[in-house]
């Protein structure tokens, strides 16, 4: 399977460990991320036609030290899966999706007619996040999570896509796993209040994508040096959200 994300640092978070998980579990899954930090759907839409060499090319979780245009990125391979997403601070604001999402996906389908499109539903910020965009949600994690969910459902309907539910998995773990109940002393799944933590946060997103794309929970632990119990907790959370 060959996967391309048109994204930003949140797709970078989700992809970081995905290829490594797949390799450990005997699955051929090549991942590519077209990354502009803080990039919105509107900016991706602008880059559809302006030809700007604006995207950092990342493959299998590694920076390739190469910049490409959006059309060049789409032409790099024959993609099986293409993912799209909104920038985090606009992710719960429906007015920021239109017309950019539908026109971007129409462009992707024209260039990559065999690719299956997924919408990446990202996560709400940590409860004490100092991200400036948190004010859009009254600095309330629950409000942000709910509004992102509403927009993700809208986005999937608009473009006829399935969802990659990283955000619901992160929120489920926050609310149902004491190990990740940050407000009561558990580990935060964020490293800075908005990006995912380097280890278990990024793992939760990557394992969610792996589960959706392959239909399987990782059977082999790609990171034996990490806490096996926390990995199991994450898998249980994914199965609760995505299904066994």
């Amino acid at each position: 399977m060959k996967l391309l994300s048109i994204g930003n640092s949140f797709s970078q978070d989700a992809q970081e460990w995905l290829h490594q998980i797949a390799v450990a579990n005997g699955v051929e899954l090549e991942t590519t991320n077209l990354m502009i930090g803080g990039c919105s759907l509107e900016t991706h839409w602008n880059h559809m036609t302006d030809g700007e060499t604006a995207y950092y090319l990342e493959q299998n979780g590694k920076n390739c030290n190469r910049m490409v245009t959006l059309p060049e990125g789409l032409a790099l391979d024959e993609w099986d899966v293409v993912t799209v997403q909104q920038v985090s601070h606009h992710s719960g604001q429906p007015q920021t999706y239109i017309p950019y999402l539908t026109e971007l996906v129409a462009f992707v389908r024209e260039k990559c007619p065999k690719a299956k499109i997924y919408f990446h539903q990202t996560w709400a910020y940590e409860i004490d996040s100092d991200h400036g965009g948190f004010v859009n949600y009254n600095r309330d994690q629950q409000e942000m999570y709910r509004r992102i969910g509403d927009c993700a459902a809208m986005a999937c309907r608009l473009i006829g896509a399935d969802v990659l539910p990283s955000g619901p998995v992160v929120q489920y773990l926050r609310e149902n796993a004491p190990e990740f109940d940050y407000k009561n002393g558990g580990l935060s799944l964020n490293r800075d209040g908005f990006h995912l933590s380097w280890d278990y946060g990024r793992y939760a997103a990557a394992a969610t994508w792996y589960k959706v794309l392959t239909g399987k929970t990782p059977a082999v632990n790609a990171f034996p040096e990490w806490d096996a119990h926390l990995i199991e907790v994450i898998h249980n959370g994914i199965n609760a959200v995505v299904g066994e």
Side-chain angles (χ1 to χ4, degrees), residues 69-154:
T69 68
L70 180 55
E72 285 173 343
L74 292 171
L76 283 172
D77 214 323
E78 189 169 319
W79 305 107
D80 299 298
V81 172
V82 176
T83 79
V84 293
Q85 64 191 57
Q86 179 57 295
V87 68
S88 64
H89 50 277
H90 290 326
S91 55
Q93 297 180 308
Q95 68 276 17
T96 66
Y97 285 69
I98 300 170
Y100 313 114
L101 176 63
T102 52
E103 295 193 8
L104 175 64
V105 170
F107 183 74
V108 171
R109 286 190 166 123
E110 176 189 343
K111 302 298 182 182
C112 309
K114 296 182 179 180
K116 180 174 175 60
I117 308 296
Y118 283 87
F119 182 81
H120 182 206
Q121 181 177 344
T122 55
W123 46 91
Y125 298 158
E126 190 53 275
I127 53 174
D128 56 359
S129 177
D130 62 1
H131 192 292
F134 208 13
V135 297
N136 295 334
Y137 310 96
N138 299 307
R139 296 197 173 277
D140 184 313
Q141 184 186 91
Q142 282 291 336
E143 178 180 341
M144 186 175 186
Y145 172 66
R146 175 182 56 79
R147 289 171 58 184
I148 292 172
D150 290 345
C151 285
M154 175 197 72

Side-chain angles (χ1 to χ4, degrees), residues 141-142 145 170-178 180-181 183:
Q141 184 186 91
Q142 282 291 336
Y145 172 66
V170 167
Q171 199 65 26
Y172 181 92
L173 292 169
R174 287 167 169 167
E175 295 178 0
N176 294 279
F180 297 111
D181 181 6
K183 66 179 179 294

Side-chain angles (χ1 to χ4, degrees), residues 1 27 29 118 164 207-219 238-239 242-244:
M1 185 184 300
V27 172
L29 175 56
Y118 283 87
L164 291 164
T208 298
W209 283 35
Y210 180 87
K211 171 76 176 198
V212 172
L213 295 172
T214 69
K216 301 175 182 178
T217 304
I238 292 169
N239 289 335
V242 177
E244 295 286 349

